[in-house]
């Protein structure tokens, strides 16, 4: 039986690890960099237990692509990179970009104050 998973936000911080990958595309290569990281993320989403969700975005200046990805645990990164197919897909970014890869833990979640008076 298939399990339906849904993404959502919680009003309190939960143990979640975020991967932020800022991809600095070579001139004229933003679309290609986007397609490469999109392929990588879809590969992970279809195969890796620790994957929760990802947001992919392109800068309006045509220079960067950002992958903000939620995973269950920082150890999931090692799991992803231990997969030779993942590594080969990820390595394609070297041809069209440089990138910064950072791992973050959630320390605080701040939401708008609903019903506040000004």
């Amino acid at each position: 039986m298939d399990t339906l998973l849904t993404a959502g936000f919680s009003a309190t911080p939960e143990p979640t690890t975020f991967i932020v990958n800022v991809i600095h595309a070579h001139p004229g290569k933003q679309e290609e960099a986007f397609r490469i990281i999109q392929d990588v993320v879809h590969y992970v989403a279809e195969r890796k237990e620790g994957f929760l969700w990802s947001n992919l975005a392109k800068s309006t200046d045509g220079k960067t692509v950002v992958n903000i990805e939620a995973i269950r645990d920082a150890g999931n990164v090692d799991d992803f990179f231990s997969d030779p197919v993942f590594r080969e897909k990820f390595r394609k970014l070297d041809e069209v970009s440089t990138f910064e890869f950072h791992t973050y833990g959630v320390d605080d979640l701040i939401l708008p104050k609903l019903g506040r008076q000004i």
Side-chain angles (χ1 to χ4, degrees):
M1 181 162 112
D2 292 334
T3 303
L4 179 62
L5 300 175
T6 59
F9 291 96
S10 173
T12 58
E14 295 182 15
T16 303
T17 299
F18 289 95
I19 302 301
V20 178
N21 191 353
V22 180
I23 301 161
H24 302 274
H26 297 328
K29 299 292 185 178
Q30 185 188 44
E31 286 299 324
E32 191 173 352
F34 183 86
R35 284 191 301 275
I36 290 169
I37 195 63
Q38 186 179 44
D39 181 51
V40 170
V41 172
H42 278 280
Y43 179 82
V44 169
E46 294 167 5
R47 292 168 180 81
K48 301 299 181 181
E49 188 89 13
F51 177 85
L52 299 175
W53 55 261
S54 173
N55 284 323
L56 295 175
K58 294 180 269 188
S59 65
T60 57
D61 63 9
K63 296 180 180 181
T64 61
V65 176
V66 176
N67 175 28
I68 302 172
E69 183 171 298
I71 59 176
R72 286 199 175 97
D73 183 88
N76 293 129
V77 174
D78 292 336
D79 177 43
F80 300 168
F81 278 98
S82 70
D83 180 332
V85 174
F86 172 89
R87 280 195 317 269
E88 182 60 33
K89 288 177 175 293
F90 195 84
R91 195 172 302 140
K92 290 179 182 178
L93 283 173
D94 291 335
E95 300 168 13
V96 297
S97 67
T98 60
F99 53 87
E100 302 170 46
F101 183 90
H102 303 278
T103 304
Y104 298 90
V106 173
D107 291 322
D108 193 11
L109 176 64
I110 301 168
L111 299 172
K113 302 286 186 198
L114 300 179
R116 66 179 172 205
Q117 294 181 2
I118 298 179

